[in-house]
Amino acid sequence: MDFGLFYFANDNEDVSDRYRLLIEGAKFADTHDFASVWTPERHFHAFGGLYPNPAVTGAAVAAVTERVAVRAGSVVAPLHHPVRVAEEWSIVDNLSKGRVGIAFASGWHAADFLLRPEGYATRRSGLIDTVKSIRSLWRREPASYVDGAGESVEVTVFPPPVQSELPVWLTSAGNPQTFREAGKMGAGVLTHLLGQGVDVLEKRIAEYRQSFRDHHDASEGDGHVALMLHTFIGSDRETVRETVRAPFSKYLASSFDLVIHAARAAGENAVALDLNTMTQSDIDFMVGQAFDRYFQTSGMFGTVEDALQVCEKLYEIGVDEIACLIDFGVDTDDVLNSLVHLDELRQAWQEREQGR
C-alpha cells in the first residue's frame, strides 16, 4: 500500500504564499519515496478554491520534483473539451518526463457548469465518453471535430505525451455504478469516506475488483484503489487533536453548504437541511459531530501507532494507496513539520509489509 499527498485547501485566509505547502510538501514527497501528489479541480467557492486547474498546479509540482507521480484528483471531464485536457496534460507529462495520471469526475454543482452549460444534463454519460476520447487522443489516434467554419477536421494532439498510455482513475463518492464502470474501463478508483464508512467501501472495492476481472485479462491485474484521507500525524495523539481541532472544524464548516448541495443533487436526506435557517449553535453542533467522526473513524490522526491501525483496516479491504489530505487549515509550518512523522508511518508500514 502506497502513500501520497492530496491537496484540497480552503482559501479563506489572506495569505501571501498560498502555494508554499503544495510546493514544499511535493518536494518532501519526492525525496522521501511517496508515491504521488494530487491536486483537484474546484471552482467558484473558497472550499478547494486554490485549485481551479490541476494541470497548472501539476505543472508546478512537475517542475520541482523528479520522481513522484503528478496526478489530478480530479478533472471534471464534462466541463472540458477532450482535446484541451489531452493537450494540457501532455505538456505536464513532458515536463515531468512521464509521471502524470488523472482522476476524472462527472461534477455535481450546477454553478461549475457555467463553464460549459451543455455538459450538465449529460454529465454522467459525458464523463465516460470524455475519458474514452482523452485516452484515444493520448495514444495519438486521430480524432475528427467540427471547426469554426463548420467543417470536419481531423486532429492529433501536440506535444506527444511521454507515456504511451494515460494512467486514469474515476472519482467516486460511493456510487456502486461508478466503481463498476471504473472496473469495466480498466481505470482505477479515487474515493473518500465522506459519505461511506469502511464497511461500505469494502463492498464497493469488491464490486470494483470483480468488474475489473470480468472485463480484463488476468495479466492486467485487478485495478488500483486510492483513498483520500484527512491526515495529520504527530508524536502525541492529544496534542494532534488540539492542533487540528480549530482549523479542521473551520474547514468542515466551510464545506457544509457544498456537502448539502451535493446531497440534494443525489436525493439524500440532507435535502431537509438549510444553513440559512440554522442557528449558530446548530451549526457548531454539526461541526463538532463531524470533527469527532473524522478524528476517530474517517481520517488518519494521531501517532504513527494510531495510524498503523488505520492502515491495517484499509489494507484488509483492498485499498492500494492512501492519498493523505494534509491541507485543511493547520498552520503551514506545523504541517510541514508533521511530514517527518508521516514518513515514519510510511517506513513503518513498508517494514510491516516486507515482514508479512
Side-chain angles (χ1 to χ4, degrees), residues 69-317:
V70 181
R71 296 181 186 158
S74 308
V75 169
V76 183
L79 290 182
H80 307 288
H81 194 289
V83 171
R84 193 59 175 153
V85 175
E87 286 179 336
E88 288 183 350
W89 282 95
S90 183
I91 293 173
V92 185
D93 202 45
N94 278 271
L95 288 171
S96 66
K97 297 181 174 61
R99 291 184 280 132
V100 307
I102 305 178
F104 290 97
S106 62
W108 50 271
H109 203 299
D112 293 353
F113 281 81
L114 67 84
L115 297 172
R116 193 166 177 262
E118 67 275 17
Y120 184 67
T122 59
R123 62 191 181 280
R124 299 193 187 282
S125 61
L127 165 65
I128 305 304
D129 293 341
T130 302
V131 172
K132 288 179 179 177
S133 296
I134 292 168
R135 287 176 124 178
S136 176
L137 288 162
W138 194 271
R139 299 184 192 109
R140 306 279 292 158
E141 297 169 359
S144 294
Y145 294 97
V146 176
D147 68 10
E151 302 292 329
S152 180
V153 241
E154 193 173 81
V155 297
T156 305
V157 164
F158 288 92
V162 174
Q163 298 177 95
S164 58
E165 287 285 341
L166 173 65
V168 167
W169 289 257
L170 294 188
T171 300
S172 175
N175 186 326
Q177 181 179 346
T178 306
F179 276 79
R180 291 192 293 267
E181 189 65 43
K184 181 178 179 181
M185 294 176 64
V189 172
L190 172 64
T191 189
H192 51 71
L193 295 178
L194 177 61
Q196 58 185 343
V198 172
D199 55 340
V200 174
L201 179 58
E202 181 177 14
K203 295 177 183 177
R204 297 292 174 263
I205 292 175
E207 293 169 356
Y208 163 67
R209 302 289 189 200
Q210 188 60 54
S211 177
F212 198 106
R213 291 190 291 267
D214 288 345
H215 294 91
H216 300 276
D217 187 82
S219 63
E220 299 178 64
D222 62 354
H224 185 274
V225 176
L227 176 67
M228 183 193 77
L229 209 61
H230 294 82
T231 301
F232 192 96
I233 309 299
S235 57
D236 178 78
R237 182 175 175 82
E238 289 310 309
T239 300
V240 168
R241 186 193 298 270
E242 293 313 307
T243 299
V244 304
R245 181 186 295 278
F248 192 34
S249 295
K250 185 176 181 181
Y251 180 82
L252 290 170
S254 73
S255 73
F256 274 175
D257 61 331
L258 287 179
V259 171
I260 291 170
H261 185 101
R264 284 173 175 161
E268 297 174 0
N269 291 335
V271 69
L273 295 175
D274 185 348
L275 291 181
N276 293 324
T277 63
M278 294 176 67
T279 66
Q280 187 59 50
S281 61
D282 290 334
I283 295 173
D284 290 343
F285 176 78
M286 288 176 58
V287 169
Q289 293 288 99
F291 175 82
D292 289 341
R293 179 173 69 84
Y294 273 102
F295 194 89
Q296 295 169 12
T297 63
S298 299
M300 194 158 65
F301 297 104
T303 65
V304 170
E305 286 302 317
D306 294 326
L308 281 171
Q309 296 178 40
V310 175
C311 292
E312 282 289 353
K313 292 179 182 177
L314 299 178
Y315 174 80
E316 289 171 1
I317 68 170

